[in-house]
Amino acid sequence: MVVLLPALLLLVIVGVQAALYYYAASIASAAAQDAARAAASAKDHDWQATGTQRAQAALDQSHGGLEHAQVTVTGDVTGPHTTVSGRCLALVPGLGLQVVRSASMPWEELT
């Protein structure tokens, strides 16, 4: 019994940490997709700033699920490419797992 309780607590902590990582990855993925979509539709305007602002708005709506978030918006002939990176919340101090998610979209054009 003395061995089971610490093992059970460790299992709970690992499970909660995995859920926090999944949550942070979902936030980063959604922010990257929103930024790519916004940048693709603003091709003729300042598309990099538009994509970055949209990603920051999505990150602000998450209320801190992704710490130290950084947004990178680049593009080429095919369309914008966005990358959102940061660290997930950690139950164990100093653990801070890195989360990186990217998204790409083709340029939107009126035909």
Side-chain angles (χ1 to χ4, degrees), residues 72-90:
T72 306
V73 180
T74 60
D76 58 17
V77 177
T78 60
H81 309 286
T82 61
T83 302
V84 176
S85 62
R87 295 193 176 278
C88 73
L89 299 173

Side-chain angles (χ1 to χ4, degrees), residues 18-67:
L20 288 171
Y21 181 84
Y22 177 76
Y23 179 60
S26 296
I27 291 169
S29 181
Q33 290 173 4
D34 283 354
R37 193 175 304 115
S41 65
K43 179 182 178 184
D44 296 331
H45 305 295
D46 190 7
W47 56 271
Q48 286 180 315
T50 301
T52 302
Q53 289 170 357
R54 184 61 200 125
Q56 288 298 335
L59 292 169
D60 290 343
Q61 290 176 356
S62 73
H63 302 292
L66 185 65
E67 296 179 324

